[in-house]
Amino acid sequence: LRAILFAAVGTAGQRCTTTRRLFLQKSIAADMKQRLVKAFGSVRIGDPAEASTLMGPLIHEKAVADYRAALDKAREQGGRILTGGKVLDRPGFFVEPTVVEAVHHMPITCEETFAPILYVFEFDTLDEAIELHNAVPQGLSSAIFTNDMRSAERFLSVAGSDCGIANVNI
């Protein structure tokens, strides 16, 4: 949970390796989504120079407009905002980190918004998750969190992630 939270919002989503899509196995999805909502809701937003701040502002007004537009598209394409989704009413370009419950093949989830939006998908099998994961033209980084070495090896293999990076929690 901590790794996902930091990877998704630590730079306000403005890094090319920011976690944008999260695939959760159905058996853990409901619990993990609840935990993500709680964690995202507790993110301290403010001056990134302060040690207690996890997320700073977006870079400019256009980035805020892109954030809003991405969330509008997500809703239009069948997504549901679980938490966040608002522009904060204060000086600067501050937004809430957002978790969107996504459905497969939502075009917006394949775009780079460079904002703190995490699209969460559910899957049944590892092969399904790998197929969905690899179904985008870009892919600078990827990770798997699993207790199953076979799943980790499959993800790292040529039949797995197109990026070949993994975090294995044993």
Side-chain angles (χ1 to χ4, degrees):
L1 179 64
R2 285 181 179 180
I4 294 164
L5 179 67
F6 184 77
V9 306
T11 58
Q14 300 174 107
R15 179 183 70 222
C16 59
T17 55
T18 293
T19 297
R20 305 210 184 289
R21 299 178 309 141
L22 177 66
F23 300 93
L24 298 172
Q25 194 162 24
K26 286 185 180 178
S27 63
I28 65 160
D31 178 59
M32 191 59 158
K33 283 191 256 184
Q34 287 178 351
R35 294 173 62 201
L36 285 165
V37 165
K38 185 177 178 181
F40 271 59
S42 71
V43 169
R44 181 169 154 87
I45 304 166
D47 181 349
E50 292 180 17
S52 61
T53 297
L54 177 58
M55 194 181 94
L58 296 181
I59 192 165
H60 46 53
E61 193 171 325
K62 183 180 180 316
V64 174
D66 291 346
Y67 167 85
R68 284 183 167 146
L71 294 176
D72 287 345
K73 287 180 186 177
R75 285 185 203 96
E76 291 168 9
Q77 295 170 12
R80 184 171 69 100
I81 294 176
L82 300 180
T83 190
K86 295 183 180 83
V87 175
L88 300 180
D89 186 19
R90 63 169 146 177
F93 306 111
F94 292 94
V95 299
E96 293 178 333
T98 305
V99 177
V100 176
E101 188 175 63
V103 294
H104 301 307
H105 309 297
M106 288 172 54
I108 189 60
T109 67
C110 299
E111 295 178 19
E112 292 283 2
T113 304
F114 294 104
I117 302 170
L118 179 66
Y119 299 103
V120 179
F121 299 86
E122 293 185 17
F123 70 91
D124 286 309
T125 67
L126 182 60
D127 286 339
E128 178 188 5
I130 289 171
E131 180 183 336
L132 294 167
H133 166 71
N134 290 340
V136 294
Q138 71 279 14
L140 296 176
S141 67
S142 60
I144 184 171
F145 294 90
T146 181
N147 290 327
D148 183 338
M149 286 302 294
R150 287 184 186 184
S151 293
E153 289 295 327
R154 174 119 174 96
F155 185 79
L156 287 171
S157 77
V158 0
S161 169
D162 59 3
C163 298
I165 298 170
N167 295 309
V168 181
N169 177 16
I170 298 180

